[in-house]
Amino acid sequence: MQALGNKKVLLGITGGIAAYKSAELVRLLTKAGAEVRVVMTASAQKFVQPLTYQALSGHRVYLDLFDAEAESAMDHIELARWCDLLLVAPASADFLGKMNAGYADNLLLTLCLASKQSVAVAPAMNQQMFANPATQENIKQLAAKNVLLWGPAEGEQACGDVGPGRMLEAQQLCDKALQHLSPGRLAGVKLLLTAGPTREAIDPVRYISNRSSGKMGYAIATAAFEQGASVTLVSGPVALTAPGGVNLIAVESAQQMHDAVLQRAADSDVFVACAAVSDYRVDQAAAQKIKKSSDKLSLRLVLNTDILAAVSALEQRPFCVGFAAETQDVEGYALDKLKQKNLDMIAANQVGAGNSGFETDFNQLEVFWRDGRHAIAHASKTEVAKQLIDLIAERYTCARS
Ligand code: PMT
């Protein structure tokens, strides 16, 4: 089933240049399975033609409170009741002021007043207008009336100013709608995750690393986010884009990954160690590029701290899920690691042969915990990650009860 399947979103568009982003928002919400109906104010129509949203949503766009034809199909009170979420994006300063004051002199304002469902606003305006005490007061009062405030973001504005007031990107708004409407099995859970390889410097231009692409870890981050977790992804260097809504901490070496994880672990509910962390680093990385001066070169390696073991040894520790990447005796080594690192779960994968494990888009896992096991059959990493997150949610809930 799609993430927003059966959910109904009423998207209100007010006058602002960010209205062009709302076209993409309609597309993303629809793609996620939501049924989207669009309401536009008169000023919004000066920026984008209603036909754009009609084509993207597959439904006529509601424009006027006194449109007899529209009212006979679904009157405005019915429309306000129809939706699961009323999202105003962009929400102009003028609209926020009127909404806060309880005005109802256009269709969208009337719907905001008449809706018993969640109402969210995505402010979009010039940074000075946003900073103005009148706007700030309106926003504060709307929040006190349980209106959800999504954004704004900071950055360059259409008028050339820089500062807070930009509407959130369409993907960010879609993610927020998703989190709000489908809280998922990990709603409210803080999940910390490592992914990708680490790089251990030999000299300023060379390093020791491994074949991890980050695909498995990034798929787990996406699956956890879709199940409502608040996800922090500590990632080694990979050629992937962090999933929307996920807090990315980019690191390079095992020591940096260790520090980033340990800083956050005690405040996390679940820790998933999917990174292929280098077990060893070069004892003293050379300060300058090593020259080709002899037939043989020896590197002295020293053991890196085991991040997963360090987290599981914390007094206030999260639910710990490790990975085991093995080329032989997968079950034996995985069970050893489960015990030695005192883990709640371990996901073992065969690596080094076949179409699973490192680099490829596919994987298969054998997951173990103290008194149970579960096999996740060969499938895309996206699918394997979804099943693993379901299993983690189940075991985590059991462990807490
Ligand atoms: O990134 P992809 O190309 O998609 O490939 C996915 C994967 C094969 C890397 C992934 O599925 C996987 O198996 N990750 C764990 C790789 C690994 O380092 O396994 P290990 O058996 O060497 O380590 C055991 C566990 O200890 C792992 O959870 C590892 O993250 C953790 N560890 C290891 C060493 C260390 N210094 N710190 C750690 O936290």
Side-chain angles (χ1 to χ4, degrees), residues 194 196 211-217 273-279 304-309 322-326 337 341 349 351 357-360 363 381:
T194 63
R211 294 183 180 280
S212 171
S213 63
K215 288 175 186 169
M216 190 67 241
C274 185
V277 185
S278 295
D279 287 326
N304 275 325
T305 309
D306 192 299
I307 303 169
L308 178 58
F323 265 74
E326 310 296 346
K337 285 177 184 169
K341 300 193 190 193
N349 42 198
V351 294
F358 285 92
E359 289 180 306
T360 115
N363 209 3
K381 284 183 175 165

PDB file of all heavy atoms in Angstrom, residues 194 196 211-217 273-279 304-309 322-326 337 341 349 351 357-360 363 381, ligand 1:
ATOM      1  N   THR A 194      24.088   3.900  11.522  1.00  0.00           N
ATOM      2  CA  THR A 194      25.320   4.154  10.770  1.00  0.00           C
ATOM      3  C   THR A 194      25.208   3.463   9.411  1.00  0.00           C
ATOM      4  O   THR A 194      24.532   2.440   9.287  1.00  0.00           O
ATOM      5  CB  THR A 194      26.578   3.621  11.494  1.00  0.00           C
ATOM      6  OG1 THR A 194      26.484   2.194  11.613  1.00  0.00           O
ATOM      7  CG2 THR A 194      26.756   4.251  12.861  1.00  0.00           C
ATOM      8  N   GLY A 196      27.316   2.990   5.278  1.00  0.00           N
ATOM      9  CA  GLY A 196      28.445   3.260   4.381  1.00  0.00           C
ATOM     10  C   GLY A 196      29.767   2.776   4.944  1.00  0.00           C
ATOM     11  O   GLY A 196      29.828   2.160   6.008  1.00  0.00           O
ATOM     12  N   ARG A 211      34.137  -1.956   0.366  1.00  0.00           N
ATOM     13  CA  ARG A 211      33.202  -1.871  -0.760  1.00  0.00           C
ATOM     14  C   ARG A 211      31.798  -1.398  -0.397  1.00  0.00           C
ATOM     15  O   ARG A 211      30.890  -1.426  -1.230  1.00  0.00           O
ATOM     16  CB  ARG A 211      33.082  -3.241  -1.440  1.00  0.00           C
ATOM     17  CG  ARG A 211      34.350  -3.698  -2.111  1.00  0.00           C
ATOM     18  CD  ARG A 211      34.140  -5.023  -2.814  1.00  0.00           C
ATOM     19  NE  ARG A 211      35.353  -5.469  -3.468  1.00  0.00           N
ATOM     20  CZ  ARG A 211      35.768  -5.008  -4.652  1.00  0.00           C
ATOM     21  NH1 ARG A 211      35.063  -4.105  -5.297  1.00  0.00           N
ATOM     22  NH2 ARG A 211      36.881  -5.464  -5.179  1.00  0.00           N
ATOM     23  N   SER A 212      31.561  -0.994   0.836  1.00  0.00           N
ATOM     24  CA  SER A 212      30.196  -0.593   1.209  1.00  0.00           C
ATOM     25  C   SER A 212      29.758   0.637   0.411  1.00  0.00           C
ATOM     26  O   SER A 212      30.456   1.654   0.376  1.00  0.00           O
ATOM     27  CB  SER A 212      30.121  -0.296   2.707  1.00  0.00           C
ATOM     28  OG  SER A 212      28.868   0.277   3.003  1.00  0.00           O
ATOM     29  N   SER A 213      28.560   0.542  -0.181  1.00  0.00           N
ATOM     30  CA  SER A 213      28.014   1.655  -0.975  1.00  0.00           C
ATOM     31  C   SER A 213      27.086   2.531  -0.151  1.00  0.00           C
ATOM     32  O   SER A 213      26.710   3.617  -0.570  1.00  0.00           O
ATOM     33  CB  SER A 213      27.206   1.073  -2.143  1.00  0.00           C
ATOM     34  OG  SER A 213      26.101   0.333  -1.614  1.00  0.00           O
ATOM     35  N   GLY A 214      26.648   2.024   0.994  1.00  0.00           N
ATOM     36  CA  GLY A 214      25.673   2.760   1.825  1.00  0.00           C
ATOM     37  C   GLY A 214      24.230   2.430   1.461  1.00  0.00           C
ATOM     38  O   GLY A 214      23.295   2.855   2.148  1.00  0.00           O
ATOM     39  N   LYS A 215      24.031   1.643   0.386  1.00  0.00           N
ATOM     40  CA  LYS A 215      22.656   1.401  -0.097  1.00  0.00           C
ATOM     41  C   LYS A 215      21.775   0.750   0.968  1.00  0.00           C
ATOM     42  O   LYS A 215      20.616   1.130   1.148  1.00  0.00           O
ATOM     43  CB  LYS A 215      22.666   0.522  -1.354  1.00  0.00           C
ATOM     44  CG  LYS A 215      23.174   1.243  -2.589  1.00  0.00           C
ATOM     45  CD  LYS A 215      23.274   0.275  -3.766  1.00  0.00           C
ATOM     46  CE  LYS A 215      23.917   0.946  -4.969  1.00  0.00           C
ATOM     47  NZ  LYS A 215      24.248  -0.024  -6.021  1.00  0.00           N
ATOM     48  N   MET A 216      22.329  -0.249   1.671  1.00  0.00           N
ATOM     49  CA  MET A 216      21.521  -0.952   2.685  1.00  0.00           C
ATOM     50  C   MET A 216      21.137   0.014   3.814  1.00  0.00           C
ATOM     51  O   MET A 216      19.970   0.099   4.216  1.00  0.00           O
ATOM     52  CB  MET A 216      22.331  -2.143   3.232  1.00  0.00           C
ATOM     53  CG  MET A 216      21.534  -3.093   4.099  1.00  0.00           C
ATOM     54  SD  MET A 216      20.283  -3.971   3.155  1.00  0.00           S
ATOM     55  CE  MET A 216      18.807  -3.444   3.936  1.00  0.00           C
ATOM     56  N   GLY A 217      22.133   0.767   4.295  1.00  0.00           N
ATOM     57  CA  GLY A 217      21.876   1.695   5.409  1.00  0.00           C
ATOM     58  C   GLY A 217      20.899   2.791   5.026  1.00  0.00           C
ATOM     59  O   GLY A 217      20.000   3.142   5.801  1.00  0.00           O
ATOM     60  N   ALA A 273      23.530  -0.483  13.576  1.00  0.00           N
ATOM     61  CA  ALA A 273      24.902  -0.321  13.064  1.00  0.00           C
ATOM     62  C   ALA A 273      25.027  -1.067  11.745  1.00  0.00           C
ATOM     63  O   ALA A 273      25.304  -2.266  11.719  1.00  0.00           O
ATOM     64  CB  ALA A 273      25.894  -0.852  14.090  1.00  0.00           C
ATOM     65  N   CYS A 274      24.796  -0.343  10.659  1.00  0.00           N
ATOM     66  CA  CYS A 274      24.867  -0.987   9.338  1.00  0.00           C
ATOM     67  C   CYS A 274      26.169  -0.628   8.620  1.00  0.00           C
ATOM     68  O   CYS A 274      26.499  -1.192   7.589  1.00  0.00           O
ATOM     69  CB  CYS A 274      23.650  -0.569   8.502  1.00  0.00           C
ATOM     70  SG  CYS A 274      23.558  -1.390   6.920  1.00  0.00           S
ATOM     71  N   ALA A 275      26.920   0.326   9.170  1.00  0.00           N
ATOM     72  CA  ALA A 275      28.153   0.753   8.497  1.00  0.00           C
ATOM     73  C   ALA A 275      29.185  -0.366   8.489  1.00  0.00           C
ATOM     74  O   ALA A 275      29.231  -1.194   9.395  1.00  0.00           O
ATOM     75  CB  ALA A 275      28.737   1.971   9.212  1.00  0.00           C
ATOM     76  N   ALA A 276      29.983  -0.369   7.435  1.00  0.00           N
ATOM     77  CA  ALA A 276      31.130  -1.276   7.377  1.00  0.00           C
ATOM     78  C   ALA A 276      32.319  -0.462   7.891  1.00  0.00           C
ATOM     79  O   ALA A 276      33.002   0.220   7.122  1.00  0.00           O
ATOM     80  CB  ALA A 276      31.343  -1.755   5.958  1.00  0.00           C
ATOM     81  N   VAL A 277      32.482  -0.507   9.200  1.00  0.00           N
ATOM     82  CA  VAL A 277      33.523   0.313   9.844  1.00  0.00           C
ATOM     83  C   VAL A 277      34.863  -0.400   9.699  1.00  0.00           C
ATOM     84  O   VAL A 277      34.953  -1.611   9.956  1.00  0.00           O
ATOM     85  CB  VAL A 277      33.208   0.480  11.353  1.00  0.00           C
ATOM     86  CG1 VAL A 277      34.202   1.433  12.014  1.00  0.00           C
ATOM     87  CG2 VAL A 277      31.774   0.953  11.559  1.00  0.00           C
ATOM     88  N   SER A 278      35.899   0.334   9.315  1.00  0.00           N
ATOM     89  CA  SER A 278      37.230  -0.296   9.226  1.00  0.00           C
ATOM     90  C   SER A 278      37.637  -0.778  10.605  1.00  0.00           C
ATOM     91  O   SER A 278      37.595  -0.009  11.570  1.00  0.00           O
ATOM     92  CB  SER A 278      38.270   0.724   8.760  1.00  0.00           C
ATOM     93  OG  SER A 278      37.997   1.127   7.463  1.00  0.00           O
ATOM     94  N   ASP A 279      38.005  -2.048  10.691  1.00  0.00           N
ATOM     95  CA  ASP A 279      38.422  -2.586  11.986  1.00  0.00           C
ATOM     96  C   ASP A 279      39.759  -1.973  12.413  1.00  0.00           C
ATOM     97  O   ASP A 279      40.028  -1.822  13.594  1.00  0.00           O
ATOM     98  CB  ASP A 279      38.546  -4.110  11.911  1.00  0.00           C
ATOM     99  CG  ASP A 279      37.167  -4.766  11.860  1.00  0.00           C
ATOM    100  OD1 ASP A 279      36.242  -4.224  12.489  1.00  0.00           O
ATOM    101  OD2 ASP A 279      37.010  -5.793  11.173  1.00  0.00           O
ATOM    102  N   ASN A 304      40.611  -0.164  15.616  1.00  0.00           N
ATOM    103  CA  ASN A 304      39.654   0.920  15.914  1.00  0.00           C
ATOM    104  C   ASN A 304      38.721   0.479  17.033  1.00  0.00           C
ATOM    105  O   ASN A 304      38.455  -0.717  17.193  1.00  0.00           O
ATOM    106  CB  ASN A 304      38.803   1.232  14.673  1.00  0.00           C
ATOM    107  CG  ASN A 304      39.496   2.199  13.748  1.00  0.00           C
ATOM    108  OD1 ASN A 304      40.202   3.102  14.183  1.00  0.00           O
ATOM    109  ND2 ASN A 304      39.310   1.993  12.446  1.00  0.00           N
ATOM    110  N   THR A 305      38.182   1.433  17.754  1.00  0.00           N
ATOM    111  CA  THR A 305      37.191   1.096  18.781  1.00  0.00           C
ATOM    112  C   THR A 305      35.952   0.549  18.095  1.00  0.00           C
ATOM    113  O   THR A 305      35.539   1.063  17.050  1.00  0.00           O
ATOM    114  CB  THR A 305      36.784   2.375  19.563  1.00  0.00           C
ATOM    115  OG1 THR A 305      37.972   3.011  19.985  1.00  0.00           O
ATOM    116  CG2 THR A 305      35.894   2.068  20.742  1.00  0.00           C
ATOM    117  N   ASP A 306      35.351  -0.475  18.665  1.00  0.00           N
ATOM    118  CA  ASP A 306      34.112  -1.016  18.108  1.00  0.00           C
ATOM    119  C   ASP A 306      32.949  -0.120  18.553  1.00  0.00           C
ATOM    120  O   ASP A 306      32.629  -0.056  19.743  1.00  0.00           O
ATOM    121  CB  ASP A 306      33.903  -2.461  18.585  1.00  0.00           C
ATOM    122  CG  ASP A 306      32.795  -3.125  17.799  1.00  0.00           C
ATOM    123  OD1 ASP A 306      31.651  -2.631  17.847  1.00  0.00           O
ATOM    124  OD2 ASP A 306      33.063  -4.124  17.112  1.00  0.00           O
ATOM    125  N   ILE A 307      32.350   0.588  17.593  1.00  0.00           N
ATOM    126  CA  ILE A 307      31.307   1.577  17.905  1.00  0.00           C
ATOM    127  C   ILE A 307      30.084   0.889  18.510  1.00  0.00           C
ATOM    128  O   ILE A 307      29.526   1.323  19.522  1.00  0.00           O
ATOM    129  CB  ILE A 307      30.900   2.353  16.621  1.00  0.00           C
ATOM    130  CG1 ILE A 307      32.128   3.030  16.005  1.00  0.00           C
ATOM    131  CG2 ILE A 307      29.802   3.374  16.931  1.00  0.00           C
ATOM    132  CD1 ILE A 307      31.901   3.581  14.615  1.00  0.00           C
ATOM    133  N   LEU A 308      29.679  -0.204  17.867  1.00  0.00           N
ATOM    134  CA  LEU A 308      28.482  -0.924  18.309  1.00  0.00           C
ATOM    135  C   LEU A 308      28.651  -1.441  19.741  1.00  0.00           C
ATOM    136  O   LEU A 308      27.761  -1.283  20.594  1.00  0.00           O
ATOM    137  CB  LEU A 308      28.220  -2.075  17.326  1.00  0.00           C
ATOM    138  CG  LEU A 308      27.063  -3.009  17.599  1.00  0.00           C
ATOM    139  CD1 LEU A 308      25.744  -2.252  17.688  1.00  0.00           C
ATOM    140  CD2 LEU A 308      26.968  -4.073  16.498  1.00  0.00           C
ATOM    141  N   ALA A 309      29.825  -2.039  20.005  1.00  0.00           N
ATOM    142  CA  ALA A 309      30.079  -2.567  21.355  1.00  0.00           C
ATOM    143  C   ALA A 309      30.087  -1.429  22.373  1.00  0.00           C
ATOM    144  O   ALA A 309      29.579  -1.587  23.490  1.00  0.00           O
ATOM    145  CB  ALA A 309      31.403  -3.320  21.375  1.00  0.00           C
ATOM    146  N   GLY A 322      22.817  -4.918  15.476  1.00  0.00           N
ATOM    147  CA  GLY A 322      24.062  -4.956  14.724  1.00  0.00           C
ATOM    148  C   GLY A 322      23.886  -5.659  13.398  1.00  0.00           C
ATOM    149  O   GLY A 322      22.844  -6.271  13.129  1.00  0.00           O
ATOM    150  N   PHE A 323      24.899  -5.575  12.577  1.00  0.00           N
ATOM    151  CA  PHE A 323      24.961  -6.343  11.339  1.00  0.00           C
ATOM    152  C   PHE A 323      26.162  -7.277  11.438  1.00  0.00           C
ATOM    153  O   PHE A 323      27.104  -6.996  12.172  1.00  0.00           O
ATOM    154  CB  PHE A 323      25.130  -5.413  10.127  1.00  0.00           C
ATOM    155  CG  PHE A 323      23.836  -5.061   9.465  1.00  0.00           C
ATOM    156  CD1 PHE A 323      22.965  -4.158  10.053  1.00  0.00           C
ATOM    157  CD2 PHE A 323      23.475  -5.640   8.247  1.00  0.00           C
ATOM    158  CE1 PHE A 323      21.762  -3.836   9.455  1.00  0.00           C
ATOM    159  CE2 PHE A 323      22.279  -5.328   7.637  1.00  0.00           C
ATOM    160  CZ  PHE A 323      21.415  -4.423   8.237  1.00  0.00           C
ATOM    161  N   ALA A 324      26.122  -8.364  10.715  1.00  0.00           N
ATOM    162  CA  ALA A 324      27.299  -9.211  10.603  1.00  0.00           C
ATOM    163  C   ALA A 324      27.492  -9.484   9.113  1.00  0.00           C
ATOM    164  O   ALA A 324      26.586 -10.001   8.453  1.00  0.00           O
ATOM    165  CB  ALA A 324      27.097 -10.514  11.354  1.00  0.00           C
ATOM    166  N   ALA A 325      28.641  -9.086   8.590  1.00  0.00           N
ATOM    167  CA  ALA A 325      28.946  -9.326   7.178  1.00  0.00           C
ATOM    168  C   ALA A 325      29.972 -10.455   7.141  1.00  0.00           C
ATOM    169  O   ALA A 325      31.102 -10.268   7.586  1.00  0.00           O
ATOM    170  CB  ALA A 325      29.515  -8.057   6.557  1.00  0.00           C
ATOM    171  N   GLU A 326      29.567 -11.602   6.661  1.00  0.00           N
ATOM    172  CA  GLU A 326      30.442 -12.778   6.738  1.00  0.00           C
ATOM    173  C   GLU A 326      30.572 -13.453   5.376  1.00  0.00           C
ATOM    174  O   GLU A 326      29.629 -13.463   4.589  1.00  0.00           O
ATOM    175  CB  GLU A 326      29.863 -13.816   7.725  1.00  0.00           C
ATOM    176  CG  GLU A 326      29.472 -13.257   9.093  1.00  0.00           C
ATOM    177  CD  GLU A 326      30.660 -12.715   9.899  1.00  0.00           C
ATOM    178  OE1 GLU A 326      31.817 -13.004   9.520  1.00  0.00           O
ATOM    179  OE2 GLU A 326      30.431 -11.992  10.878  1.00  0.00           O
ATOM    180  N   LYS A 337      28.720 -12.633  17.628  1.00  0.00           N
ATOM    181  CA  LYS A 337      28.685 -11.163  17.747  1.00  0.00           C
ATOM    182  C   LYS A 337      27.492 -10.708  18.584  1.00  0.00           C
ATOM    183  O   LYS A 337      27.592  -9.764  19.362  1.00  0.00           O
ATOM    184  CB  LYS A 337      28.640 -10.513  16.352  1.00  0.00           C
ATOM    185  CG  LYS A 337      29.988 -10.577  15.656  1.00  0.00           C
ATOM    186  CD  LYS A 337      29.985 -10.023  14.247  1.00  0.00           C
ATOM    187  CE  LYS A 337      31.359 -10.228  13.626  1.00  0.00           C
ATOM    188  NZ  LYS A 337      31.430  -9.972  12.202  1.00  0.00           N
ATOM    189  N   LYS A 341      28.832  -8.759  21.794  1.00  0.00           N
ATOM    190  CA  LYS A 341      28.588  -7.306  21.835  1.00  0.00           C
ATOM    191  C   LYS A 341      27.327  -6.976  22.616  1.00  0.00           C
ATOM    192  O   LYS A 341      26.893  -5.831  22.658  1.00  0.00           O
ATOM    193  CB  LYS A 341      28.499  -6.752  20.400  1.00  0.00           C
ATOM    194  CG  LYS A 341      29.774  -6.973  19.590  1.00  0.00           C
ATOM    195  CD  LYS A 341      29.797  -6.162  18.301  1.00  0.00           C
ATOM    196  CE  LYS A 341      30.966  -6.601  17.424  1.00  0.00           C
ATOM    197  NZ  LYS A 341      31.250  -5.700  16.314  1.00  0.00           N
ATOM    198  N   ASN A 349      24.415 -11.018   6.957  1.00  0.00           N
ATOM    199  CA  ASN A 349      24.368 -11.229   5.498  1.00  0.00           C
ATOM    200  C   ASN A 349      25.648 -11.859   5.001  1.00  0.00           C
ATOM    201  O   ASN A 349      26.738 -11.603   5.483  1.00  0.00           O
ATOM    202  CB  ASN A 349      24.019  -9.964   4.699  1.00  0.00           C
ATOM    203  CG  ASN A 349      24.673  -8.681   5.148  1.00  0.00           C
ATOM    204  OD1 ASN A 349      24.222  -7.600   4.804  1.00  0.00           O
ATOM    205  ND2 ASN A 349      25.739  -8.775   5.917  1.00  0.00           N
ATOM    206  N   VAL A 351      28.491 -12.096   2.463  1.00  0.00           N
ATOM    207  CA  VAL A 351      29.091 -11.114   1.554  1.00  0.00           C
ATOM    208  C   VAL A 351      30.209 -11.767   0.748  1.00  0.00           C
ATOM    209  O   VAL A 351      30.680 -12.843   1.104  1.00  0.00           O
ATOM    210  CB  VAL A 351      29.637  -9.880   2.329  1.00  0.00           C
ATOM    211  CG1 VAL A 351      28.517  -9.086   2.975  1.00  0.00           C
ATOM    212  CG2 VAL A 351      30.666 -10.302   3.384  1.00  0.00           C
ATOM    213  N   GLY A 357      24.622  -8.366  -0.418  1.00  0.00           N
ATOM    214  CA  GLY A 357      25.699  -7.823   0.414  1.00  0.00           C
ATOM    215  C   GLY A 357      26.214  -6.494  -0.106  1.00  0.00           C
ATOM    216  O   GLY A 357      25.433  -5.611  -0.452  1.00  0.00           O
ATOM    217  N   PHE A 358      27.545  -6.376  -0.188  1.00  0.00           N
ATOM    218  CA  PHE A 358      28.161  -5.104  -0.586  1.00  0.00           C
ATOM    219  C   PHE A 358      27.780  -4.681  -2.014  1.00  0.00           C
ATOM    220  O   PHE A 358      27.672  -5.526  -2.903  1.00  0.00           O
ATOM    221  CB  PHE A 358      29.693  -5.226  -0.539  1.00  0.00           C
ATOM    222  CG  PHE A 358      30.258  -5.214   0.857  1.00  0.00           C
ATOM    223  CD1 PHE A 358      30.471  -6.393   1.552  1.00  0.00           C
ATOM    224  CD2 PHE A 358      30.582  -4.018   1.481  1.00  0.00           C
ATOM    225  CE1 PHE A 358      31.001  -6.383   2.837  1.00  0.00           C
ATOM    226  CE2 PHE A 358      31.113  -3.997   2.764  1.00  0.00           C
ATOM    227  CZ  PHE A 358      31.315  -5.184   3.442  1.00  0.00           C
ATOM    228  N   GLU A 359      27.604  -3.411  -2.204  1.00  0.00           N
ATOM    229  CA  GLU A 359      27.484  -2.711  -3.500  1.00  0.00           C
ATOM    230  C   GLU A 359      26.199  -2.959  -4.285  1.00  0.00           C
ATOM    231  O   GLU A 359      25.652  -2.053  -4.874  1.00  0.00           O
ATOM    232  CB  GLU A 359      28.689  -3.033  -4.403  1.00  0.00           C
ATOM    233  CG  GLU A 359      29.979  -2.391  -3.910  1.00  0.00           C
ATOM    234  CD  GLU A 359      31.173  -2.691  -4.769  1.00  0.00           C
ATOM    235  OE1 GLU A 359      31.435  -3.895  -5.003  1.00  0.00           O
ATOM    236  OE2 GLU A 359      31.852  -1.750  -5.192  1.00  0.00           O
ATOM    237  N   THR A 360      25.716  -4.167  -4.321  1.00  0.00           N
ATOM    238  CA  THR A 360      24.577  -4.457  -5.199  1.00  0.00           C
ATOM    239  C   THR A 360      23.288  -3.830  -4.642  1.00  0.00           C
ATOM    240  O   THR A 360      23.245  -3.346  -3.513  1.00  0.00           O
ATOM    241  CB  THR A 360      24.336  -5.980  -5.395  1.00  0.00           C
ATOM    242  OG1 THR A 360      23.090  -6.331  -4.836  1.00  0.00           O
ATOM    243  CG2 THR A 360      25.383  -6.821  -4.754  1.00  0.00           C
ATOM    244  N   ASN A 363      19.743  -7.768  -1.364  1.00  0.00           N
ATOM    245  CA  ASN A 363      20.333  -8.386  -0.173  1.00  0.00           C
ATOM    246  C   ASN A 363      19.402  -9.472   0.356  1.00  0.00           C
ATOM    247  O   ASN A 363      18.234  -9.572  -0.071  1.00  0.00           O
ATOM    248  CB  ASN A 363      20.576  -7.333   0.920  1.00  0.00           C
ATOM    249  CG  ASN A 363      21.754  -7.715   1.814  1.00  0.00           C
ATOM    250  OD1 ASN A 363      22.417  -8.731   1.595  1.00  0.00           O
ATOM    251  ND2 ASN A 363      22.024  -6.899   2.825  1.00  0.00           N
ATOM    252  N   LYS A 381      17.137  -4.008  -1.747  1.00  0.00           N
ATOM    253  CA  LYS A 381      17.490  -3.496  -0.415  1.00  0.00           C
ATOM    254  C   LYS A 381      16.344  -2.674   0.166  1.00  0.00           C
ATOM    255  O   LYS A 381      16.132  -2.650   1.387  1.00  0.00           O
ATOM    256  CB  LYS A 381      18.803  -2.707  -0.470  1.00  0.00           C
ATOM    257  CG  LYS A 381      20.006  -3.643  -0.560  1.00  0.00           C
ATOM    258  CD  LYS A 381      21.355  -2.944  -0.555  1.00  0.00           C
ATOM    259  CE  LYS A 381      22.468  -4.007  -0.523  1.00  0.00           C
ATOM    260  NZ  LYS A 381      23.804  -3.507  -0.853  1.00  0.00           N
TER     261      LYS A 381
HETATM  262  O1  PMT B   1      26.567  -0.548   2.020  1.00  0.00           O
HETATM  263  P1  PMT B   1      26.108  -1.632   1.081  1.00  0.00           P
HETATM  264  O2  PMT B   1      26.946  -1.703  -0.177  1.00  0.00           O
HETATM  265  O3  PMT B   1      24.643  -1.565   0.795  1.00  0.00           O
HETATM  266  O4  PMT B   1      26.369  -3.044   1.808  1.00  0.00           O
HETATM  267  C1  PMT B   1      25.655  -3.382   2.959  1.00  0.00           C
HETATM  268  C2  PMT B   1      26.558  -4.068   3.996  1.00  0.00           C
HETATM  269  C3  PMT B   1      27.029  -5.406   3.470  1.00  0.00           C
HETATM  270  C4  PMT B   1      27.767  -3.194   4.333  1.00  0.00           C
HETATM  271  C5  PMT B   1      25.675  -4.242   5.288  1.00  0.00           C
HETATM  272  O5  PMT B   1      24.565  -5.052   5.001  1.00  0.00           O
HETATM  273  C6  PMT B   1      26.463  -4.844   6.436  1.00  0.00           C
HETATM  274  O6  PMT B   1      26.630  -6.043   6.569  1.00  0.00           O
HETATM  275  N1  PMT B   1      27.017  -3.965   7.311  1.00  0.00           N
HETATM  276  C7  PMT B   1      27.926  -4.359   8.411  1.00  0.00           C
HETATM  277  C8  PMT B   1      29.323  -4.525   7.869  1.00  0.00           C
HETATM  278  C9  PMT B   1      30.341  -4.906   8.909  1.00  0.00           C
HETATM  279  O7  PMT B   1      31.265  -4.154   9.130  1.00  0.00           O
HETATM  280  O8  PMT B   1      30.097  -6.017   9.543  1.00  0.00           O
HETATM  281  P2  PMT B   1      31.108  -6.683  10.663  1.00  0.00           P
HETATM  282  O9  PMT B   1      30.634  -8.073  10.787  1.00  0.00           O
HETATM  283  O10 PMT B   1      32.529  -6.431  10.312  1.00  0.00           O
HETATM  284  O11 PMT B   1      30.779  -5.844  11.963  1.00  0.00           O
HETATM  285  C10 PMT B   1      29.823  -6.247  12.936  1.00  0.00           C
HETATM  286  C11 PMT B   1      29.037  -5.067  13.454  1.00  0.00           C
HETATM  287  O12 PMT B   1      29.871  -4.215  14.226  1.00  0.00           O
HETATM  288  C12 PMT B   1      28.421  -4.200  12.395  1.00  0.00           C
HETATM  289  O13 PMT B   1      27.138  -3.801  12.853  1.00  0.00           O
HETATM  290  C13 PMT B   1      29.350  -2.993  12.320  1.00  0.00           C
HETATM  291  O14 PMT B   1      28.657  -1.797  11.920  1.00  0.00           O
HETATM  292  C14 PMT B   1      29.810  -2.893  13.748  1.00  0.00           C
HETATM  293  N2  PMT B   1      31.159  -2.324  13.930  1.00  0.00           N
HETATM  294  C15 PMT B   1      32.259  -2.976  13.452  1.00  0.00           C
HETATM  295  C16 PMT B   1      33.533  -2.432  13.706  1.00  0.00           C
HETATM  296  C17 PMT B   1      33.637  -1.229  14.420  1.00  0.00           C
HETATM  297  N3  PMT B   1      34.825  -0.673  14.662  1.00  0.00           N
HETATM  298  N4  PMT B   1      32.541  -0.623  14.870  1.00  0.00           N
HETATM  299  C18 PMT B   1      31.302  -1.142  14.638  1.00  0.00           C
HETATM  300  O15 PMT B   1      30.301  -0.558  15.061  1.00  0.00           O
END
